[in-house]
Amino acid sequence: DMKVTQMPRYLIKRMGENVLLECGQDMSHETMYWYRQDPGLGLQLIYISYDVDSNSEGDIPKGYRVSRKKREHFSLILDSAKTNQTSVYFCASSFTGENTLYFGAGTRLSVL
Amino acid sequence: AQSVTQPDARVTVSEGASLQLRCKYSYFGTPYLFWYVQYPRQGLQLLLKYYPGDPVVQGVNGFEAEFSKSNSSFHLRKASVHWSDWAVYFCAEGNMGYKLTFGTGTSLLVDP
């Protein structure tokens, strides 16, 4: 079954707390992505990972870091979350060089 | 820089009517273009993709899109809209690399 799984689906944190968003995929895709979706802005790329420990900044990496220690798993970390990081976060994966992305269902993060 | 413009934030059509959702891109080379759909509380799913060749591409569920180099456009069409098409539609552009640039999305509302 081809699937991208995101945990948790909903998360409420206070400003200054650390946040860990997790993403897994079962398709052996080399490339994985983290996007955030905000009203009127569409999807913005935060980080892209080409494989284990091979990560690259996207368009809006400030305030975020990522970790990829296994090909099937990609984490997004917010150290000391800020209220402007309230958003819906999507993880996606693809084969190398392919533009067909498979998306997870998203994590709705609220930072109070 | 590449950009994708979806000029209509919201489109309302009656069930059974035809549909066109507009998309303009700004890439000056040979673009690779995509339409993704996001159903409520789900991640994005690929509807169709254009790689250089036939300008009209067919997608799932009766959707099609037409590429126009002269107009820098990639409009999405459907002959007869169904209530289940109620969703947000995203146009995206990628030049066979790892990064997709998404438009801001068009919300499609279907009148019964």
Side-chain angles (χ1 to χ4, degrees), chain A residues 54-92:
Chain A
S54 179
N55 307 319
S56 183
E57 294 181 346
D59 297 321
I60 53 162
K62 188 177 179 183
Y64 304 94
R65 63 183 173 93
V66 292
S67 174
R68 190 154 179 219
K69 298 301 182 184
K70 294 182 179 180
R71 178 172 280 188
E72 63 270 19
H73 192 254
F74 191 33
S75 301
L76 180 70
I77 302 124
L78 288 66
D79 295 314
S80 188
K82 300 173 180 51
T83 55
N84 62 7
Q85 292 178 307
T86 291
S87 186
V88 181
Y89 291 86
F90 286 101
C91 175

Side-chain angles (χ1 to χ4, degrees), chain A residues 36-45 60 87, chain B residues 4 90 102-105:
Chain A
R36 64 177 281 176
Q37 183 182 33
D38 300 290
L41 294 179
L43 275 78
Q44 299 173 275
L45 180 65
I60 53 162
S87 186
Chain B
V4 176
F90 289 93
F102 285 88
T104 53

Side-chain angles (χ1 to χ4, degrees), chain B residues 54-108:
Chain B
D54 190 334
V56 178
V57 291
Q58 304 295 325
V60 297
N61 298 332
F63 284 94
E64 67 174 28
E66 183 166 6
F67 167 72
S68 171
K69 189 174 177 65
S70 59
N71 294 324
S72 297
S73 68
F74 188 57
H75 300 331
L76 181 69
R77 303 188 298 237
K78 187 170 184 179
S80 177
V81 170
H82 188 263
W83 65 266
S84 60
D85 295 324
W86 188 313
V88 182
Y89 293 79
F90 289 93
C91 183
E93 187 276 329
N95 56 353
M96 208 52 195
Y98 296 94
K99 181 183 164 184
L100 285 182
T101 300
F102 285 88
T104 53
T106 298
S107 292
L108 173 64

